Amino acid sequence: SSNAAVGQDAPLVRVELLRNFAGFSMPPTPVPAAAFIPADQQALRIFGSAVFTTKTITQSSPTQGGTNSITVSLQPSVDLSGDYAAVTISGVLGASTPSGVVRVYGPDSVLFASTGAWEQKSGALVLLLASGQTLPSALVSTITFDLTNPLEPRPSPDQVLIWATGSVPIAASPMVVAAGGGLPLKVDS
C-alpha cells in the first residue's frame, strides 16, 4: 500500500496480549510513540508535502531593452539541502539575455555561490545550492539577478513557477508578484 496524499500524525498504537500464558494477561495498552520514537520514525506518520511558504517575484523595470533586476524572495517549509539541491524558477519569458551563467546578488546570494544557470527559451533560472549551504525554513531568503528586457512591448507571462530538488523535493507552484511590483517580464511601450 502507499502513504496518504496528505500529512497525518502517527495513530495511537495499542499493544495487547491475545493468549493467556500461565495466568499472565495484558489488557490493551497505549504506546506513547512520542516518548521514545523520533517523529520521522513513528509508524504511519506522514509529513505534509514541502512547499514554499514565501515565493515572491518582482521586476525593477518595464523599459524596452533595459536592464531588469528580478528579485526573488523564498522560504521553504522545510530546510533544503543536499548534493545537487536546486531551486528552479521558470516562465520568465521574453528576455533578450542569452542562455548561460548569470550573476546572482543580494543578501542571500552566497547560498547559490552567487551564480545561476539561465535558459532563455524556457525563461528558466536554475539556482544550485552551494556546497555545504542550506536554504533555511526559518528565514526568508532574497536574491536578485539581471535580465535584459526585449526591444518590443509585451505583457507579463501568465505565471512564473518555482520548484526545488534536494533533501526534500518541492513541487512546482506559481510564484506571487511582490506588492507594488510587476510579474517579469512585462515591458511597456
Side-chain angles (χ1 to χ4, degrees):
S1 80
S2 61
N3 287 339
V6 295
Q8 70 181 29
D9 289 333
L12 180 61
V13 176
R14 295 178 188 270
V15 176
E16 178 178 3
L17 183 61
L18 297 177
R19 293 191 179 206
N20 187 348
F21 292 101
F24 179 81
S25 68
M26 182 176 174
T29 305
V31 177
F36 60 90
I37 300 174
D40 64 343
Q41 295 175 14
Q42 294 175 6
L44 299 179
R45 174 152 190 193
I46 300 169
F47 292 101
S49 296
V51 297
F52 282 105
T53 56
T54 300
K55 51 184 177 178
T56 60
I57 188 167
T58 191
Q59 69 176 13
S60 67
S61 172
T63 304
Q64 295 176 28
T67 298
N68 196 346
S69 298
I70 311 299
T71 300
V72 173
S73 294
L74 41 101
Q75 181 177 17
S77 59
V78 296
D79 288 351
L80 181 67
S81 62
D83 293 339
Y84 309 108
V87 173
T88 301
I89 298 163
S90 72
V92 184
L93 300 169
S96 296
T97 305
S99 297
V101 175
V102 296
R103 182 175 75 93
V104 175
Y105 57 97
D108 300 301
S109 61
V110 67
L111 294 172
F112 305 104
S114 300
T115 62
W118 170 251
E119 208 296 311
Q120 183 183 22
K121 185 175 180 181
S122 63
L125 179 70
V126 178
L127 300 162
L128 187 64
L129 274 173
S131 179
Q133 293 291 336
T134 296
L135 183 61
S137 60
L139 302 168
V140 174
S141 299
T142 301
I143 57 103
T144 301
F145 59 99
D146 293 336
L147 298 176
T148 303
N149 283 338
L151 297 175
E152 67 282 344
R154 61 174 286 119
S156 294
D158 292 334
Q159 67 180 353
V160 174
L161 299 175
I162 185 169
W163 69 88
T165 58
S167 53
V168 178
I170 300 176
S173 62
M175 296 193 76
V176 177
V177 177
L183 187 62
L185 283 164
K186 180 184 183 304
V187 177
D188 294 336
S189 54

